[in-house]
Amino acid sequence: MKLSFQHDIPSFSGNFIIPVFETGPNHLVPIEFYGVSVPSKVFYGKANEIYAIEKYDNLHLFVGLGKTPDYKSVVTMFRRAAHKYPEFFNKPVLIDLPNGLEPQLVSAIVSGLKLGTYKIGHFKNEKPHPITNSDFALTINNYKSEEAFLQKALILADAQLQCMQWVDLPPNVVTPEYMAKAGADLANETQLQATVLDKNALQELGMGALLAVGQGSKNDARLLVLELNPEAEGKHYALVGKGVTFDTGGLNIKTAGMQFMKSDMAGAAAVVATMQYLAKSDCKKRVTAVVPLCENAVDATSLKPSAVIEAFNKKTIEIIDTDAEGRLILADALAYLIAKHKPDVIVDIATLTGSSVATFGYECGALFTNNVDLEFALRSAGNQVGEKLWPLPLWSAYDPDISSDIADVRNYSGKPIGGAITAAKFLEYFTDKHEAWAHLDVAGVAFGDSEFAKSKHATAFGVNLLSTFIENH
C-alpha cells in the first residue's frame, strides 16, 4: 500500500471514502459531498452504517462513525468496509476525513482497512484483496498530525495479520519448529536478535517442565528468545507467550472442542507479532521475548497424571492433570527469563483456562498482578485500543490450591472452581517474587466467532495491547 496525504481535493481519479459523524434521525438536509447527496432517510452516520453510491463513474462509500466513536468500533467499521466491498479498492482511494477526528481514530481507519484484507482460506486459490497490492494507492485528505503515526498503523496491522495467520494455520503446519523458525526469520529481516534452543539444549538447561509436556509428540519442543535493543538503557521489558501448537489434553484427553486447539499458541503468536511491530516501528526500548513451544500429544511416552517433574528452577511439580499443561511450559519460561535476563517488567500472555472464559465470556482478558502501577498501565493500554482487561486476585488464601504432599507444588487444584486464579498462583510460584509481573489469561478473546469468517478464527488480541503498553509505559 502506498500512503499519501493532502489538504484539499483536486481532480481525483478514483473512489472516495467519507467517514461521517452521526447527525441524528431528525436532520433534514441530505449529507452533501462534492455533488453527491445521501438522503437523510437512508444514512444518519450511525456506527455500523455503510452507504455506497456511484457518481461520475466513481464509487462513494459513506461510513458512519456514530456520535462518539472509539478505537475498536472504528477499526471494526473499516475492516467491514474492506471485507464487504473488495471491488471498491480496485481503484485508488481517497479518504476525506471529517473535522475533529483525532489522530488515534484515523490510525484506526487505516489499520481497519488493512485488517479487512484478511481471509482464513490460506489453502484456497482465491484472488488477493486489492489493498494487498503494493501499488494500491490510499490518499488521506484533511489529516493534521504526523504522517509517521499512520505508517506505524500499517506496521501494526501487518503484525496483527501475521499473528492471525500463525494462529489460523493448521497444526500440521505450525509446529514448534515452524514457530521457532518464524522468529529466527523475523530476526534476520529486522534488528532483533534470535536464539532458538532445541531439545538437547533444553535438556542441558534442565527445562524439565517444557520437555515433559512435549515428550509425547514427534515434534520436539523449542524455546525461542527474541531480543530488541539488548544494550539500551532504561527499563527492560519482557514478554512471555504460551506456545502449545496443538493441545490434545495429553492423557487427560479433551472430550470436546479439540479441533480448535491449534489456537493454544495464540499467546506465543501475539508475543512474536508484537516483537515484529516493535522492531519494524523502530522502538528504542529494551524488550526480550521468551516463547516456549511444544505440542501436547497422546502417545506411549506422554506425561502421566501423578508423575513428578523438575522445572528449570529445580522446583518439583506433581502432575494432577496433563491438560493443565500451559502453566507448566510458562513456569519454565518465566524462571529461565528471570534467571538469565533479569527484566524489570514481565508480562505473560496465554490461552490458559476455560475458567477465564466462564468468568468473562468473550469480552475481556483476565489480568493478574500484585503491582498496582502495572495493572493500571496494562488496563489503560487495553482500553485505549479496545483490548480490555479486568483484574482477578492473587490472594494468599489460594495458596493451598497448589500445595502438594509429594512435590513442591501441583499443577491443578482438582477443584471445579477458581481455575484461572489457581493457574495464576501456580505461575506466580515461578516468578521468584518478581515485583513487576503480570499474567494475562486471554482464552476467551484470542480466538472466536466474528462476522469475518464462518468458523472460529484468530483475533490477534494482545498485539496492539502489548505494543501500546510498551510504547506508553
Side-chain angles (χ1 to χ4, degrees):
M1 178 190 294
K2 296 179 179 178
L3 198 60
S4 62
F5 303 85
Q6 62 186 48
H7 297 286
D8 57 11
I9 300 183
S11 176
F12 180 76
S13 178
N15 294 330
F16 294 86
I17 295 179
I18 306 96
V20 179
F21 286 107
E22 184 176 349
T23 53
N26 297 319
H27 73 286
L28 301 176
V29 181
I31 296 171
E32 294 279 351
F33 176 79
Y34 300 94
V36 179
S37 295
V38 180
S40 59
K41 293 182 180 180
V42 173
F43 180 81
Y44 299 112
K46 293 181 179 180
N48 300 320
E49 281 190 327
I50 298 179
Y51 183 79
I53 188 170
E54 186 172 358
K55 189 78 171 182
Y56 308 127
D57 295 325
N58 291 327
L59 288 170
H60 296 71
L61 206 61
F62 292 85
V63 181
L65 297 172
K67 290 181 178 179
T68 55
D70 59 57
Y71 182 91
K72 184 177 181 180
S73 68
V74 174
V75 167
T76 301
M77 279 301 302
F78 283 85
R79 183 178 178 184
R80 180 180 300 136
H83 177 79
K84 188 175 180 180
Y85 299 99
E87 70 284 349
F88 179 87
F89 300 91
N90 285 325
K91 288 184 178 182
V93 170
L94 183 142
I95 303 177
D96 190 47
L97 300 175
N99 292 324
L101 194 64
E102 59 186 79
Q104 183 75 6
L105 296 183
V106 184
S107 171
I109 290 175
V110 173
S111 284
L113 289 176
K114 193 68 180 289
L115 292 174
T117 68
Y118 185 71
K119 300 177 182 179
I120 66 171
H122 296 295
F123 295 90
K124 292 185 176 183
N125 293 316
E126 295 182 326
K127 186 177 180 181
H129 197 289
I131 289 178
T132 63
N133 190 324
S134 60
D135 292 330
F136 170 72
L138 180 66
T139 301
I140 310 292
N141 187 61
N142 198 30
Y143 180 64
K144 299 184 172 91
S145 189
E146 295 180 11
E147 296 178 5
F149 188 66
L150 292 193
Q151 295 290 352
K152 289 177 70 173
L154 291 175
I155 297 172
L156 172 65
D158 283 337
Q160 291 173 302
L161 289 168
Q162 181 61 81
C163 177
M164 290 190 285
Q165 179 176 331
W166 282 329
V167 176
D168 284 332
L169 284 172
N172 57 315
V173 173
V174 179
T175 62
E177 182 181 9
Y178 177 99
M179 277 305 299
K181 184 178 183 301
D185 290 344
L186 177 61
N188 287 334
E189 62 185 59
T190 65
Q191 72 269 38
L192 290 172
Q193 297 179 18
T195 303
V196 176
L197 303 179
D198 62 11
K199 181 179 178 180
N200 291 334
L202 295 175
Q203 288 173 334
E204 290 179 10
L205 283 169
M207 300 195 78
L210 173 56
L211 288 167
V213 175
Q215 71 188 34
S217 173
K218 68 177 183 179
N219 297 308
D220 291 339
R222 298 284 192 279
L223 187 77
L224 169 66
V225 181
L226 294 172
E227 297 179 79
L228 178 65
N229 305 319
E231 305 301 324
E233 298 180 355
K235 281 191 175 180
H236 177 192
Y237 295 87
L239 303 175
V240 179
K242 173 187 171 184
V244 179
T245 59
F246 193 78
D247 180 22
T248 65
L251 293 182
N252 291 107
I253 196 164
K254 293 181 183 294
T255 56
M258 197 191 296
Q259 71 270 29
F260 301 126
M261 287 300 102
K262 65 180 183 179
S263 67
D264 216 15
M265 42 69 70
V271 165
V272 179
T274 298
M275 296 299 285
Q276 174 181 315
Y277 167 77
L278 294 173
K280 293 191 175 184
S281 64
D282 200 27
C283 174
K284 301 300 183 184
K285 295 184 178 180
R286 183 183 179 188
V287 187
T288 300
V290 174
V291 183
L293 299 159
C294 68
E295 188 175 81
N296 190 20
V298 179
D299 186 79
T301 59
S302 292
L303 182 63
K304 297 176 178 64
S306 78
V308 174
I309 61 175
E310 185 178 82
F312 171 81
N313 62 354
K314 306 304 180 184
K315 300 296 183 181
T316 54
I317 305 167
E318 179 187 9
I319 304 302
I320 304 299
D321 191 332
T322 62
D323 196 22
E325 86 299 332
R327 66 200 70 180
L328 297 175
I329 71 172
L330 289 172
D332 258 358
L334 287 166
Y336 171 85
L337 168 69
I338 292 166
K340 298 294 185 180
H341 295 275
K342 299 177 173 56
D344 299 304
V345 180
I346 305 169
V347 181
D348 78 67
I349 181 169
T351 51
L352 205 62
T353 67
S355 175
S356 68
V357 186
T359 303
F360 294 123
Y362 307 105
E363 294 301 318
C364 69
L367 165 63
F368 298 86
T369 182
N370 284 322
N371 186 305
V372 176
D373 292 335
L374 183 55
E375 175 192 328
F376 177 79
L378 284 165
R379 287 181 60 196
S380 296
N383 290 337
Q384 181 180 334
V385 301
E387 296 185 354
K388 295 180 291 186
L389 301 169
W390 196 257
L392 290 174
L394 282 169
W395 299 328
S396 59
Y398 294 99
D399 286 345
D401 284 338
I402 61 168
S403 65
S404 168
D405 292 332
I406 193 171
D408 292 319
V409 287
R410 57 180 175 173
N411 77 326
Y412 178 58
S413 69
K415 300 177 181 178
I417 55 175
I421 297 173
T422 54
K425 290 297 293 182
F426 180 87
L427 295 181
E428 183 187 40
Y429 185 80
F430 292 87
T431 62
D432 197 24
K433 298 181 180 179
H434 196 283
E435 294 182 352
W437 160 73
H439 161 58
L440 310 183
D441 188 338
V442 297
V445 286
F447 189 81
D449 296 308
S450 84
E451 66 189 88
F452 300 109
K454 294 179 181 179
S455 59
K456 292 181 183 293
H457 56 280
T459 66
F461 187 100
V463 179
N464 203 351
L465 165 65
L466 295 173
S467 300
T468 302
F469 163 71
I470 290 172
E471 288 184 326
N472 291 354
H473 193 241

